[in-house]
Amino acid sequence: MSNYHGDFSQKIDYVFKIVLIRDSAVGKSQLLARFSRNEFSLDSKATIGVEFQTKMMVIDHKNVKAQIWDTAGQERK
């Protein structure tokens, strides 16, 4: 596994994989859009299957990669 991102010029110190799980129509996709792209839309569509976004951050001088997965909200209990 490589600890570098993209063109191998940026070392990644930490990778966090986060899955958003909750009932349908509670705002998981909007939470993801706000965090990853700083966007919010009142006209959102239901997620089909799974979608994900990646965000790179620098926290305490460490390069952190967050992979956030957004589920459809119809998981079995």
Side-chain angles (χ1 to χ4, degrees), residues 33-45:
R34 176 65 83 181
F35 177 74
S36 63
R37 301 183 308 271
N38 198 29
E39 295 177 358
F40 182 83
S41 173
L42 293 175
D43 303 329
S44 66
K45 297 178 183 169

Side-chain angles (χ1 to χ4, degrees), residues 11-72:
K11 181 178 181 293
I12 298 173
D13 297 298
Y14 299 101
V15 176
F16 292 95
K17 297 179 182 182
I18 303 157
V19 179
L20 302 176
I21 300 174
R22 191 64 182 127
D23 295 335
S24 297
V26 296
K28 296 180 302 294
S29 296
Q30 291 302 324
L31 181 67
L32 178 59
R34 176 65 83 181
F35 177 74
S36 63
R37 301 183 308 271
N38 198 29
E39 295 177 358
F40 182 83
S41 173
L42 293 175
D43 303 329
S44 66
K45 297 178 183 169
T47 303
I48 298 172
V50 176
E51 296 178 5
F52 78 96
Q53 294 284 326
T54 300
K55 182 170 181 171
M56 294 293 298
M57 299 168 280
V58 177
I59 301 173
D60 291 335
H61 307 290
K62 300 287 185 181
N63 292 317
V64 177
K65 180 178 181 179
Q67 297 175 340
I68 304 105
W69 294 75
D70 176 20
T71 63

